[in-house]
Amino acid sequence: MNKKIIIYLMGWILIMEAAFMLLPLAIALIYREISGLWFLAVLITCGAVGRLCTYKKPENMVFFAKEGFVSVALSWIALSFFGALPLYLSGEIPRFENALFEVVSGFTTTGASILSDVESLPRCMIMWRSFTHWIGGMGVLVFILSILPLAGGYNMYIMKAESPGPSVGKLVPKVKSTAKILYKIYLVMTVLQFFLLFAGGMTAFDSLAISFSTAGTGGFGIKNNSMAFYDSYYLQGVVTVFMIMFGVNFHSYYLLLSRNPMAGLKSEEVRTYLGVIGVSILFITLDLRNDFENIFIAFHHAAFQVGSIITSTGYFTVDFNLWPEFSKAILVVLMFTGACAGSTGGGIKISRVLILLKAVRKELQSMIHPRSIKVLKLDGKPVEHNVLRSINTFMGAYVVIFTLTFLVVSLDNFDFMTNFTVAAASLNNIGPGLGEAGPVQNFSGFSPLSKYAMMFAMLAGRLEIFPMLLLFSPSTWKNG
């Protein structure tokens, strides 16, 4: 275990967090909010601790999978701890576990909140909540990879640990260049959404905060009734389109912009993702046709909510907790399927679901024709055995963490639907669930134990489970 490189990377994480806090500090200065001074205090602390950790560059800058996964897990925990301090020290969220819950939910792009009156927060705190989504959406360590050279080529392990999906590869030969490309696409899409919202009459502050939340598919509302506050089909429509766009594999965007755009359009995962969205919208629209003034309004809200749930964003325009059971059932299924690998969305991921379904079909065909040899393929390329093994292991760990989270939350004695969807919303980084955790509710009524269980599930879901589990393995900390 190369512990020095882990400390070095965590130091850079804290330095970057200090830099990120300049935005809410600037907002506090613009709106003359005294609580913004806490961002300055934490900013200085993060910078000082980070500088101590990076003062001496390790002689050995090469690291392997173990160091990569541990660095990611510990960095996200440190990021969340220091990120919660301004909310807690300012007194805006007086209980530390609540402040930590809010920030973990932000960085993991979950969007579950303990706040009942978001609008009462100072604007600097509101912007910080939304900005944590943007930071966590692509991954802060991916950003560091784009500026910090690491030796040996093993920094791909960081990208694999922090990027959602069963298979993460390089877009170009160097990982550093790949990280830069990903962030350029991410930034351009965010800026484009900002200008479209601003052009539609939204204030600059609201446009920026909502663009941050949408890009990270996080969904922290800056109004108490989320996107329902903006009674504009145009504004809600823009958010719908961008939620779906940020749920697409960023590798496909790179292919569309490169000399091989057809490869991006032919992606089996992306086509399945868009197909699932289309079918879900159709079924929910038909189910809601008598609940709204006309079918077009039903379509609008169905499209928004499907896009919000499948990408794990969590915004809402109506209280879907009051929808018919069939529509709610579809949304619960979408909570689990999730968006594409290599996107900012949560859930199991469409690519995993596709590969598992293909594996089931292959096994059935092998039973019927024992001597036949079938190769499991995705996008015309064979799926390697280690990828399938990793997916099977992921699903096993996923079921265990989901079950444990569900059992712990059940101790609070809420109804079954609330407990089940809270576990699903936490592990899949969705945000709102159903029942007492519905879109117009909040998570303040849960016990501290349940909140810590949900925080672990949020981190595990965002980091693809394995980095968090490795922290509890004794062999992880052994040298060699």
Side-chain angles (χ1 to χ4, degrees):
M1 170 71 76
N2 188 350
K3 296 178 181 178
K4 290 183 179 180
I5 190 65
I6 294 175
I7 294 172
Y8 184 72
L9 281 172
M10 289 183 66
W12 274 105
I13 283 288
L14 294 180
I15 290 173
M16 289 308 306
E17 184 162 29
F20 289 140
M21 285 188 180
L22 289 172
L23 176 61
L25 181 59
I27 296 294
L29 291 173
I30 292 171
Y31 291 98
R32 300 180 181 180
E33 295 171 336
I34 193 69
S35 58
L37 290 175
W38 290 106
F39 284 105
L40 179 61
V42 178
L43 182 158
I44 293 171
T45 304
C46 282
V49 175
R51 183 63 183 133
L52 285 174
C53 294
T54 59
Y55 179 74
K56 185 177 181 181
K57 187 176 181 180
E59 295 180 3
N60 180 12
M61 290 292 286
V62 179
F63 60 95
F64 297 92
K66 182 165 61 174
E67 287 85 356
F69 289 139
V70 169
S71 296
V72 168
L74 291 179
S75 295
W76 277 69
I77 292 171
L79 195 71
S80 300
F81 175 82
F82 283 98
L85 290 180
L87 293 169
Y88 172 64
L89 295 174
S90 66
E92 296 297 338
I93 301 181
R95 294 175 63 96
F96 182 72
E97 74 270 12
N98 285 342
L100 186 62
F101 181 94
E102 197 77 9
V103 172
V104 169
S105 179
F107 280 123
T108 59
T109 73
T110 304
S113 179
I114 53 85
L115 297 170
S116 57
D117 185 10
V118 175
E119 296 175 48
S120 66
L121 286 177
R123 286 177 178 256
C124 60
M125 300 292 176
I126 292 175
M127 183 60 74
W128 178 238
R129 289 170 75 247
S130 297
F131 194 36
T132 58
H133 282 331
W134 195 84
I135 296 167
M138 187 61 67
V140 66
L141 276 159
V142 172
F143 180 77
I144 285 179
L145 285 180
S146 69
I147 60 174
L148 185 67
L150 296 171
Y154 299 105
N155 40 12
M156 175 54 70
Y157 288 119
I158 286 181
M159 187 170 285
K160 286 183 177 181
E162 202 174 38
S163 298
S167 179
V168 176
K170 304 176 188 177
L171 304 181
V172 290
K174 294 183 178 180
V175 173
K176 184 176 180 179
S177 299
T178 295
K180 286 183 177 179
I181 290 170
L182 289 173
Y183 255 97
K184 284 179 181 178
I185 296 172
Y186 191 49
L187 180 60
V188 168
M189 289 174 63
T190 306
V191 171
L192 179 59
Q193 184 185 357
F194 168 81
F195 281 113
L196 289 174
L197 291 175
F198 187 67
M202 192 178 285
T203 66
F205 179 91
D206 289 12
S207 297
L208 185 60
I210 288 173
S211 295
F212 282 151
S213 291
T214 307
T217 60
F220 267 150
I222 62 174
K223 304 295 181 183
N224 291 333
N225 55 346
S226 189
M227 283 302 298
F229 175 86
Y230 304 97
D231 189 16
S232 164
Y233 290 138
Y234 169 80
L235 294 176
Q236 293 176 358
V238 168
V239 173
T240 301
V241 171
F242 275 89
M243 285 190 297
I244 294 171
M245 287 175 62
F246 279 108
V248 172
N249 193 326
F250 276 54
H251 186 267
S252 297
Y253 289 131
Y254 173 75
L255 292 175
L256 288 172
L257 296 171
S258 67
R259 297 178 181 179
N260 190 19
M262 291 306 298
L265 295 173
K266 290 180 180 179
S267 169
E268 194 172 349
E269 180 188 31
V270 174
R271 285 187 284 117
T272 303
Y273 166 69
L274 296 176
V276 169
I277 289 174
V279 171
S280 300
I281 293 172
L282 175 62
F283 285 162
I284 292 178
T285 300
L286 294 175
D287 196 37
L288 297 176
R289 64 188 184 278
N290 296 323
D291 292 10
F292 292 95
E293 294 177 16
N294 58 61
I295 198 167
F296 298 106
I297 297 177
F299 172 83
H300 169 80
H301 291 297
F304 186 96
Q305 228 46 73
V306 167
S308 178
I309 296 300
I310 195 171
T311 60
S312 75
T313 306
Y315 282 139
F316 65 91
T317 54
V318 292
D319 185 2
F320 56 82
N321 199 32
L322 303 176
W323 282 4
E325 296 302 316
F326 179 66
S327 294
K328 289 193 290 186
I330 292 175
L331 294 180
V332 171
V333 171
L334 296 179
M335 285 183 183
F336 288 94
T337 57
C340 298
S343 71
T344 61
I348 294 172
K349 307 296 181 300
I350 291 291
S351 56
R352 280 198 183 95
V353 175
L354 268 175
I355 291 171
L356 287 171
L357 290 175
K358 286 174 178 283
V360 170
R361 184 177 67 180
K362 177 177 176 290
E363 192 65 25
L364 290 174
Q365 289 175 342
S366 298
M367 290 179 179
I368 298 171
H369 306 286
R371 296 184 179 181
S372 64
I373 299 176
K374 298 290 183 181
V375 179
L376 199 157
K377 295 182 178 181
L378 186 67
D379 288 331
K381 299 177 182 178
V383 176
E384 297 179 4
H385 176 71
N386 64 329
V387 173
L388 185 59
R389 183 190 63 191
S390 176
I391 291 174
N392 290 333
T393 306
F394 172 91
M395 291 306 301
Y398 179 96
V399 171
V400 170
I401 294 175
F402 175 84
T403 302
L404 291 176
T405 305
F406 171 70
L407 291 173
V408 172
V409 172
S410 297
L411 292 173
D412 289 347
N413 209 29
F414 287 104
D415 62 274
F416 177 85
M417 181 59 74
T418 297
N419 299 332
F420 185 86
T421 56
V422 159
S426 300
L427 186 54
N428 296 314
N429 305 129
I430 302 296
L434 296 173
E436 297 301 316
V440 298
Q441 310 294 331
N442 62 70
F443 288 67
S444 61
F446 290 90
S447 66
L449 177 62
S450 291
K451 288 171 185 171
Y452 280 109
M454 285 186 271
M455 280 187 262
F456 179 84
M458 291 176 199
L459 287 166
R462 173 59 184 85
L463 300 180
E464 300 289 288
I465 293 179
F466 298 122
M468 292 300 294
L469 293 184
L470 281 173
L471 293 180
F472 298 93
S473 173
S475 61
T476 299
W477 307 101
K478 293 180 180 178
N479 293 323

